[in-house]
Amino acid sequence: MFLVDISPSMGKMRQVSLPAKPGAEPEIIEMTNLEWALQYVMLKIQEMIFNGRKTDKCGVILFGSEETNNIINEENGGYEHVSEYIPIAQPNASTLAKLQALEPSTVSGDPIDALIVAIETQDRFLGNKKTWTRKICILTDGENPIEVEDWEATAKKMNGLGIQLSVIGVDFDDDDFKEEDKSVIKRENEDFYHTFTSKLDHGVVGNCDFALTEISRPDVREVKSTMSGNVLRIGDIDNRPGEAIEIMIRTAKCTALARPKSLKKFARRRHTAEEDAAAAENMDVDDDDEKTTYAQLHMRSEYYLEEDKARSVKGEGSVAGSVNGDADGEEKRLVKVEKEELVRGYKYGASFVPAPEGGFAPLPARKGMDICGFFPMDNFRREYSMGEVYYVLADPTSPMQQVALSSIVQAMLDEDHGVVAITRWTKTDKSDPKMGVLWPTRWDEIDCFLWVQMPFADDVRNFPFASLETLINKKGEIVKEHPYLPTKEQMAAMEDLVDAMDLMDAGEKDEDGNRQPWFDTRLSYNPAIHRTKQALFHAAVVQDLNTHPLPPPHPELTKYFEPPRRVMKRAREAIEQCKRTFNVREVPKKVARVRKDEHVHARDEDENMLLLDRQAHRAGTSQTQGATQSRIYAQSQKTSPSRTQQKRAGNHSDSSETEPEQDIEDDEELLLNRPAPGGSRRGRRCRPGALVDFIKNIERGDVVTKAVEDLAFVIKDVVTKQSSSRRLDEMIECMHELRKVCLEEDEIDAWNEDLKETCLETKLGNKDFWEKVRGIGRPLSFISQPEAAKAGGKSAITESEAQKFIQD
């Protein structure tokens, strides 16, 4: 029950500081004490709405109201200016709307009268529900006289009913605030409230400003899980009942996954034809008076099949529209299919398995927990812990079951290092079984298990990675010194940094003066949950977000966002030592281009250096690959404005530290430029090796940018050489494939830039190649904006510019 004072004194104006915008000073606005204090009531009610529990109910009683409306006045008279404003019920959005409509009145009321009315109203509503928690909150400024006769009887009755009382006072004194020029009446009322709550079993008096700060503090929602019955088995009950054990148990959730509140989608509501006609008739209505209405969006699913135009669907579905065809020019069309005509299927590898009618038959699993075996606690891998944790307790109504479960727990803990049990849990008959681990736990008064789910063996994927400590060059020799292998000086510097950034002694001091750990998981909150919740609550409390913007997050929510200053100060010297030892430099920020489907294909060239730890290949390994890696390593040691320039400079770089120096001839090819396996450039006609590697890399899907840049460099490198006449046809073929991929994979800018740069160099240096390009014409010119738009990309080249470029 909320008892709200709306006496005239609550209409006094006060200044409230709003959160400061970035780069601006805090803004001060004025509001009444009633508007300011009602935020506490609305936030408390919003918490009930947010939790959604049917047992969270509240009511609002006003004292100081113009009218009198309460159950005691109707029966016995008296208790004037006390009104039951909102009856006890589960709160909703209309509850908040009614509270926002409250305004100060012209008469004063007695809070003790309102308290007696609230006690009686609450008691009649709950009746014999003794297990319900009863709370009453008085919201007042304490500026009006109070009738304090026989208040001891009221306190006695509240203790008998177990009512918790909270008095939230506007500008009441506390440890951090003392109001100046306080009236005599308010000072006496404060003293009375402190005396009254001291006689209660559960009573407190607080300052409204402090209460608003505390109610916005993030907290963890505690939910009481319902205990469900089950059975714990050890051994084979069916075949060897004499060697098996069954214990009746109860399970309940120990932890629960918390998620942000789901948000509904709204859109501007479209007017119907009738509404448009009515609006046309009312032409005299001002456009500013017309309000925009919004409606909630609901998801609707429709199913379509993409069919060739040549294949007509006879008697099935309806043609909903057509789309552009494939490269062969065949037009596609969409055929609508009803949901009843579809068959549910499950993906199995690269294919789909249709499910039979009614679904697959359930497994013949029996309800219960079956212990499959035991293993040492030290062998439990924490990454195998999945999902929520459950309590596993013995049946509280059976002492024998409790003794049996307790003996198993103690036996598992009394081993040398303790053991845990791997368990198969089926919650109900024929339900899906889950594998988990039972962890024995002992507390002061109870022995129990904690159960957490583990993955099945088929769900575990092992990803082998190359050794970080052992590097092998192409000759099969172990490399002792390499940029990837840390030196003793680097190891010592990193150990000092790790020790300096230890958080176990970075917290506050305890009573004995010892430093406590800085991070506490119990005080670390999820910003996605609590910040969203704060925004929802604030938007419902205030009427205008422009004048009342969202306040900053609570300090408790952001306390772990930044490292502690004590640790940063302690680690400053170790950080500088690491910078010097590892030669750490700031990397210029690279602006990523927008990719198709909003993903980036690029892979750093430095990743190729990780190939150094592989075993040497068979004899006769191409020196080109080693030279290419040598160039890449040399490029990683210096800064270059672009990847293309890095590759060009790589032709004249030195070899890596892991291989002897090799002479790189002018006509040596890049990795992408080698011939395809089993073929030769001289002899029978085949695809060039550069194109084969390019297509393979494109099929991988994650190295598109790297492959495009490599092939463009190969083309430019070949056609600028004097001995390239025999390879011009190959390069033309590569250009066709490169332009196609650039258009499909949104690498349009790369094609246009590389084409311009290549042609400017080849017009004078290789006229034969340029004549071949001009002979092909528009298919090898720039990608224009119309072409890019059809493929879902963008281009800065117009169609006329593309035509002019190929003709010049």
Side-chain angles (χ1 to χ4, degrees), residues 4 9 34 106 163 188 264 276 302 369 374 429 485 490 496 521 549 583 600 637 648 660 666 686 720 727 750 780 805:
V4 181
S9 59
L34 179 61
T106 57
I163 297 176
E188 291 179 353
K264 298 178 181 179
D276 292 337
E302 294 182 350
M369 274 189 180
F374 300 90
D429 290 336
L485 297 177
Q490 291 174 343
D496 294 341
T521 55
N583 193 19
V600 178
Q637 306 303 312
R648 188 184 302 117
D666 292 338
C686 63
T720 53
R727 302 190 62 190
L780 285 183
F805 177 80

Side-chain angles (χ1 to χ4, degrees), residues 212-232:
L212 287 173
T213 303
E214 287 299 305
I215 200 174
S216 63
R217 179 188 296 272
D219 59 345
V220 178
R221 179 185 175 189
E222 296 183 359
V223 181
K224 293 183 179 180
S225 176
T226 303
M227 304 282 287
S228 58
N230 217 310
V231 58
L232 176 66

